[in-house]
Amino acid sequence: MKINLEKRVFIGIPIGHKIKSILPFLKSTVHCSRDVIIWIPPDNIHLTLCFLGNISDQDIPNIIQTLENCITFKYFKIKIESTGVFPSPNIPKILWIGIGKGVDDLNTLQLYIEKTVRKFKEINCKEKFVPHITIARIR
């Protein structure tokens, strides 16, 4: 009997050391107890390009191969420009840093990835892509 395991999968870009270096400063400017704000560990911080949902373990190698065959981006630079919260300032759940320079390249890459992996996605929703880096979750 073969067991089909699933993983919650997303496609993202790890952040570089320059962005990681400002995280302690950002953290020091927010005065909340640990019961209210949960900081994302620096090694887990990334820029999500596409959320796939629950994906079969068997499909993951196919997704990786599909993306490796299709993506031609070598690199591009981004610049952080702002901070904010989702879903709204009245009901903050996510604290994020926003992207300024490089946002056009990110949007192009995200749209391409979205089209490439559409057949693997659990749910195809029409949410507008908002380039950001989640740095904390708020209870």
Side-chain angles (χ1 to χ4, degrees), residues 14-97:
I15 63 167
H17 67 277
K18 287 184 180 180
I19 294 175
K20 281 185 183 181
S21 71
I22 67 160
L23 295 175
F25 170 74
L26 287 172
K27 193 173 180 178
S28 73
T29 64
V30 178
H31 304 286
C32 280
S33 74
R34 291 183 190 185
D35 295 338
V36 176
I37 193 162
I38 301 164
W39 295 97
I40 308 295
D43 289 340
N44 292 347
I45 295 179
H46 60 276
L47 196 155
T48 300
L49 294 171
C50 180
F51 178 69
L52 296 170
N54 293 327
I55 301 294
S56 166
D57 282 349
Q58 296 170 349
D59 286 338
I60 293 173
N62 292 333
I63 294 169
I64 293 168
Q65 189 64 51
T66 299
L67 289 170
E68 286 177 348
N69 290 341
C70 297
I71 294 179
T72 58
F73 274 78
K74 298 284 185 220
Y75 68 91
F76 54 88
K77 292 183 179 185
I78 63 172
K79 182 177 180 181
I80 342 181
E81 205 168 79
S82 59
T83 58
V85 294
F86 287 137
S88 75
N90 297 333
I91 311 167
K93 297 286 182 195
I94 302 290
L95 176 60
W96 52 264
I97 50 180

